[in-house]
């Protein structure tokens, strides 16, 4: 649910959205484990690669690359002639290798846009990039039988194909953010790359929100 806030006429809102999308591929991003783990017993769709064991090597999922490029074309992006993967390092229990294989400066898709209409007014939202990465495992924070807190890890999601769509900070209201999210969801479903069901975690949006004085340039 999007809630609208009233901002003083002296200020304006600047919003950029990062949309994470699980792709509808048969297998995970860098291994042959099935991606149909929804409803499965924890830690049953795993192998040495998605467990992050020493000495294993990733093998890229070609269908995930095709889906990312298809999404880029649907978002009016420029498709890069050269792309690469990077390591995003952070230490957290849901990341089995303590780094994520992702993309940054040389992604597959760049410089796109998506047109949205809010309250009868059209606006063009820039797309910085569409890149490909692997998903993390899933943590569940529970209370043990003795009343003490505990965290359980399910590795089934680790290594699933995850695409990220990064917008420019061109969004100027919560209503416009909602229109953008709905149009992204509908587009992903129409081209057949994802269910985009937010209730299943197939589409997750991070919002970057800034409040600026009206006279100050962004």
């Amino acid at each position: 649910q999007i809630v609208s806030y009233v901002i003083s006429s002296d200020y304006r809102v600047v919003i950029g959205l990062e949309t994470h999308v699980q792709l509808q591929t048969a297998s995970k991003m860098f291994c042959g484990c099935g991606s149909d783990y929804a409803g499965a017993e924890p830690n049953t769709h795993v192998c040495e690669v998605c467990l992050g064991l020493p000495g294993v090597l990733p093998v890229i999922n070609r269908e995930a690359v095709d889906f990312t490029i298809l999404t880029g074309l649907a978002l009016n992006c420029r498709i890069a002639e050269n792309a690469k993967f990077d390591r995003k390092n952070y230490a957290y229990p849901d990341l089995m290798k303590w780094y994520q294989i992702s993309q940054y400066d040389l992604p597959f898709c760049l410089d796109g846009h998506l047109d949205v209409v809010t309250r009868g007014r059209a606006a063009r939202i820039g797309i910085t990039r569409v890149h490909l990465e692997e998903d993390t495992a899933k943590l569940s924070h529970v209370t043990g039988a003795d009343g003490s807190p505990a965290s359980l890890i399910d590795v089934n999601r680790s290594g699933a194909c995850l695409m990220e769509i990064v917008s420019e900070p061109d969004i100027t209201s919560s209503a416009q953010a909602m229109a953008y999210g709905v149009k992204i969801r509908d587009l992903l479903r129409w081209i057949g790359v994802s269910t985009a069901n937010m209730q299943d975690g197939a589409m997750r949006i991070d919002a970057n929100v800034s409040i600026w004085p009206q006279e100050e340039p962004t």
Side-chain angles (χ1 to χ4, degrees), residues 164-176:
E164 184 171 350
I165 303 168
V166 181
S167 85
E168 290 287 306
D170 293 337
I171 299 169
T172 58
S173 69
S174 57
Q176 199 174 71

Side-chain angles (χ1 to χ4, degrees), residues 32-216:
C33 289
S35 59
D36 56 340
Y37 57 81
E41 289 294 317
N43 304 314
T44 55
H45 286 57
V46 297
C47 69
E48 296 84 355
V49 175
C50 48
L51 282 168
L53 298 184
V56 297
L57 294 175
V59 178
I60 194 169
N61 186 324
R62 178 170 180 169
E63 187 176 34
V65 175
D66 291 342
F67 281 178
T68 302
I69 292 174
L70 178 60
T71 303
L73 293 172
L75 291 171
N76 307 289
C77 289
R78 171 173 58 88
I79 308 303
E81 293 185 7
N82 298 289
K84 69 178 177 69
F85 283 93
D86 303 279
R87 287 186 177 187
K88 177 183 176 183
N89 293 278
Y90 64 93
Y92 201 66
D94 68 355
L95 197 62
M96 308 311 297
K97 302 184 293 292
W98 283 31
Y99 65 82
Q100 181 189 38
I101 302 177
S102 182
Q103 293 184 299
Y104 181 65
D105 59 326
L106 291 177
F108 290 117
C109 313
L110 296 156
D111 305 327
H113 65 266
L114 183 71
D115 295 329
V116 300
V117 177
T118 309
R119 299 189 178 99
R121 298 181 61 182
R124 175 158 291 184
I125 310 302
I127 303 295
T128 308
R129 64 183 182 272
V130 182
H131 68 260
L132 190 55
E133 58 192 19
E134 57 182 339
D135 211 342
T136 62
K138 179 181 179 181
L139 288 176
S140 298
H141 304 292
V142 299
T143 301
D146 60 353
S148 61
S151 294
L152 307 178
I153 187 164
D154 180 3
V155 189
N156 283 346
R157 193 178 71 181
S158 176
C161 301
L162 194 66
M163 178 179 68
E164 184 171 350
I165 303 168
V166 181
S167 85
E168 290 287 306
D170 293 337
I171 299 169
T172 58
S173 69
S174 57
Q176 199 174 71
M178 183 172 69
Y180 172 91
V182 168
K183 193 164 184 179
I184 286 281
R185 181 200 63 188
D186 293 346
L187 182 146
L188 295 169
R189 290 174 175 173
W190 186 72
I191 63 177
V193 302
S194 176
T195 65
N197 293 332
M198 297 189 75
Q199 66 271 23
D200 299 329
M203 179 173 160
R204 295 143 16 210
I205 299 178
D206 298 333
N208 302 290
V209 182
S210 296
I211 304 298
W212 290 74
Q214 288 285 5
E215 70 279 1
E216 186 173 340

